[in-house]
Amino acid sequence: MSDLSTFLSTKKWPAQHPDRIQLYSLPTPNGVKVSIMLEETGLPYEPHLVRFDSNDQLSPEFLAVNPNNKIPAILDPNGPGGKPLPLFESGAILLYLADKAQRFMPQEAAGRYQTIQWLMFQMGGVGPMFGQVGFFHKFAGKDYEDKRPRDRYIGEAKRLLGVLDRHLAGRDWMMGSDYTIADIAIFPWVNVLNTFYGAGELVGMKDFTQVNRVLEVFLARPAVVRGLNIPPRP
């Protein structure tokens, strides 16, 4: 078994189970992508809460595993070659876990790259744009008198939802009948836009019938139900 004691992150978040993947996270849309994936695969892991209210993400211990000071990050004691592997960026972690578990990623090259393209669609479009809607509608941006920034991101969120809605017509999931990391990446962000951000009416969520259909099935999955609350907030 690998020795994790040399990793600074384990000083702040001691590993009770050093043989398991260590997850450093918070139940945000990016954070729950990884907890849902871990729950779906059944890979053994140990979650650790990174508290933003005490700036845990800026601590030397967290920066040692993610120099970009964003959640989530993992430390796998049994990485490639049997050596510990720290990893950050939720998209990279999803790809790594899919390869490790040999699940939720098509094995043929074409399907693999098509899945990755939708993962990149979430990372480069859905996440940043939906996050800006949340800032300008729910958080500090809501006090800005000039609503043009908010409306710009609302318009882009609607466009992205339209892309998803057209793509999902006649499909069970983003890749057709197969549930993949593309779904695990995209639908936590769709869910938070409609719930926590309270922007469903602003973006006309009710009009995207295919997105709503798949979101409902996604949220009913037992692993999703569990993963949405891991690690639990204090």
Side-chain angles (χ1 to χ4, degrees):
M1 182 174 62
S2 298
D3 180 12
L4 298 184
S5 63
T6 59
F7 288 88
L8 192 58
S9 60
T10 64
K11 307 301 181 185
K12 187 175 182 68
W13 295 281
Q16 300 301 314
H17 303 280
D19 57 327
R20 302 179 185 179
I21 294 171
Q22 303 296 300
L23 170 64
Y24 308 100
S25 191
L26 187 71
T28 66
N30 281 333
V32 300
K33 282 190 269 182
V34 175
S35 56
I36 288 169
M37 181 64 171
L38 287 164
E39 288 291 321
E40 291 279 15
T41 61
L43 290 168
Y45 75 104
E46 181 179 347
H48 303 282
L49 180 68
V50 179
R51 296 186 61 150
F52 286 4
D53 57 354
S54 56
N55 289 324
D56 283 352
Q57 77 276 18
L58 300 176
S59 66
E61 293 87 353
F62 187 74
L63 291 173
V65 72
N66 184 359
N68 194 36
N69 66 270
K70 302 289 185 181
I71 60 95
I74 65 168
L75 173 57
D76 185 358
N78 300 299
K83 297 179 180 180
L85 176 70
L87 201 61
F88 67 93
E89 283 295 333
S90 58
I93 296 171
L94 288 180
L95 287 166
Y96 173 72
L97 295 176
D99 286 344
K100 186 178 181 74
Q102 291 293 291
R103 297 188 66 191
F104 308 119
M105 173 66 84
Q107 294 303 301
E108 76 281 4
R112 179 180 176 87
Y113 285 113
Q114 288 170 342
T115 303
I116 292 172
Q117 81 178 349
W118 286 111
L119 174 64
M120 297 300 107
F121 173 83
Q122 184 278 302
M123 299 293 293
V126 168
M129 296 301 105
F130 288 14
Q132 292 290 352
V133 171
F135 173 80
F136 283 102
H137 178 61
K138 183 179 177 68
F139 298 111
K142 70 179 183 297
D143 298 324
Y144 295 0
E145 292 184 11
D146 186 349
K147 298 305 179 186
R148 285 176 296 179
R150 185 202 68 170
D151 293 345
R152 168 181 169 80
Y153 292 114
I154 288 172
E156 183 62 4
K158 287 181 178 180
R159 188 189 71 79
L160 293 167
L161 287 166
V163 172
L164 290 172
D165 209 60
R166 291 187 294 273
H167 177 74
L168 288 167
R171 292 181 171 91
D172 295 332
W173 299 103
M174 292 299 298
M175 289 302 297
S177 60
D178 294 331
Y179 176 73
T180 68
I181 61 171
D183 305 291
I184 294 172
I186 289 168
F187 286 101
W189 275 104
V190 175
N191 182 52
V192 82
L193 181 68
N194 195 39
T195 55
F196 181 69
Y197 289 164
E201 186 174 346
L202 279 177
V203 301
M205 192 70 188
K206 62 180 177 57
D207 298 328
F208 301 104
T209 55
Q210 303 302 323
V211 172
N212 286 311
R213 169 182 60 83
V214 180
L215 176 63
E216 183 178 359
V217 178
F218 176 77
L219 293 175
R221 294 179 68 89
V224 173
V225 174
R226 295 191 300 270
L228 286 173
N229 296 295
I230 297 174
R233 293 180 182 270

